[in-house]
Amino acid sequence: MPGAGVLLHCGDRTLDLRRPQVMGILNATPDSFSDGGRFVSSDAAVEQALRMVDDGAAIIDVGGESTRPGAAAVTVDEELQRVIPVIEALRRHSTVPVSIDTSKPEVMRAAVTAGAGLINDVRALREPGAAQAAQELNVPVCLMHMQGEPRDMQHSPHYDDVVAEVRAFLATRLAACRAAGISAPLLLDPGFGFGKTLEHNLVLFHHLQQLTTLGGPLLVGVSRKAMIGAVLDAPVGQRLYGSVALAALAVWNGARLIRVHDVRPTVEAIRMIEAVANAARC
Ligand code: PT1
């Protein structure tokens, strides 16, 4: 279980990455929390978040833009309308740290003002104004690798050496963020499923440890993804055991934060990995 173990200060709340932890996924999109119409129900979203906290999630990741393969872009206003009420309600009902899953500087600013303490950006602060917003907001940021854009990223992913290229991308973005004056902690994420074939994902996972030496704690998100569906020939509703297996393997190989839908089973698997990792010869 290699990798960087640190206490992350997320605004007024703390995320203890001295132990591997689970990030609970909260999709603030109408397909997830609709009251039958076009609006996200904050009540239903907060209820699910509180359940994830009870199950052991150390942070809740709120997202209003779907970044699944084929997903269309959303406007700033739409994204704000989805995530801000959920963040505000979550802040009222819990002391858990909140992460905002966005690439838009306007959403980063409004979300951190509403109480989010970490920025999770699948575009690694490459959108115009995003790096400056993150620098000013001074909260930890997760930088993720993606080839292409969600709409077309799975059309023809190509790498000469996926491990070397993802590693170099993360190193370059880390250096660019430091050069832009960002001094808050930076997490790094290989971006499983983001412009990668099944083989790319498996090779990247096999060599995950090579990303632990870049200098930032590693975040891994594989929960219910197509790579599990492809190996198991299973629809999205039958990917729990595959997801938990990969979460455990990721932690064993140095990941510090695992982004998941199914919090309780993942927390239990991680606690067992931790017990073995910490065992001393006697
Ligand atoms: C992730 C991630 C994310 N994934 C971070 N943020 C999604 N830091 C959203 C599929 O192949 O891994 N890391 N935010 C969800 N996106 C996807 C992508 C969902 C691919 C599913 C797939 O099935």
Side-chain angles (χ1 to χ4, degrees):
M1 207 171 73
V6 288
L7 263 186
L8 277 196
H9 296 287
C10 300
D12 59 351
R13 296 174 182 184
T14 326
L15 174 61
D16 185 358
L17 292 187
R18 293 172 305 184
R19 306 173 62 189
Q21 300 281 12
V22 163
M23 168 185 266
I25 300 170
L26 194 66
N27 288 320
T29 50
D31 52 311
S32 298
F33 293 107
S34 161
D35 46 9
R38 300 181 296 112
F39 300 104
V40 173
S41 158
S42 292
D43 286 354
V46 168
E47 211 173 290
Q48 173 165 324
L50 296 182
R51 210 174 309 126
M52 291 194 287
V53 172
D54 195 52
D55 287 344
I59 184 166
I60 301 297
D61 189 41
V62 179
E65 179 204 3
S66 174
T67 54
R68 283 182 300 225
V74 291
T75 65
V76 172
D77 283 349
E78 181 66 38
E79 211 177 310
L80 286 169
Q81 280 178 35
R82 292 175 179 183
V83 300
I84 300 304
V86 172
I87 294 170
E88 288 174 345
L90 194 44
R91 288 279 306 188
R92 283 195 297 273
H93 289 94
S94 169
T95 62
V96 73
V98 177
S99 158
I100 175 66
D101 188 344
T102 192
S103 299
K104 297 182 177 70
E106 300 90 340
V107 178
M108 293 173 187
R109 290 182 197 279
V112 172
T113 300
L118 187 149
I119 295 167
N120 172 27
D121 184 3
V122 300
R123 295 179 184 80
L125 303 181
R126 287 178 292 162
E127 290 294 298
Q132 192 184 334
Q135 185 267 322
E136 290 168 21
L137 295 167
N138 196 32
V139 295
V141 180
C142 178
L143 305 172
M144 199 197 77
H145 174 272
M146 168 163 56
Q147 185 179 91
E149 275 290 311
R151 188 200 315 274
D152 62 0
M153 64 188 178
Q154 292 307 107
H155 290 180
S156 55
H158 174 83
Y159 303 84
D160 291 319
D161 180 339
V162 67
V163 179
E165 287 172 44
V166 168
R167 193 177 192 286
F169 173 88
L170 293 174
T172 300
R173 291 308 303 153
L174 189 60
C177 290
R178 293 303 179 214
I182 297 173
S183 53
L186 296 171
L187 293 92
L188 303 173
D189 183 340
F192 289 104
F194 287 88
K196 296 165 186 89
T197 64
L198 171 62
E199 192 183 6
H200 293 142
N201 286 314
L202 296 176
V203 169
L204 197 51
F205 210 109
H206 188 110
H207 296 282
L208 193 66
Q209 266 206 50
Q210 291 186 31
L211 303 178
T212 60
T213 53
L214 285 165
L218 271 196
L219 188 158
V220 161
V222 286
S223 186
R224 300 181 185 173
K225 283 188 180 175
M227 64 182 288
I228 296 165
V231 171
L232 301 182
D233 190 21
V236 70
Q238 291 169 28
R239 298 177 186 172
L240 172 61
Y241 304 123
S243 298
V244 172
L246 290 188
L249 194 55
V251 167
W252 186 254
N253 285 296
R256 281 280 151 181
L257 192 54
I258 310 293
R259 183 180 180 277
V260 304
H261 302 88
D262 305 290
V263 172
R264 177 105 65 182
T266 311
V267 167
E268 290 184 359
I270 290 176
R271 292 299 160 249
M272 289 312 304
I273 299 281
E274 211 186 347
V276 173
N278 293 333
R281 198 159 182 181
C282 59

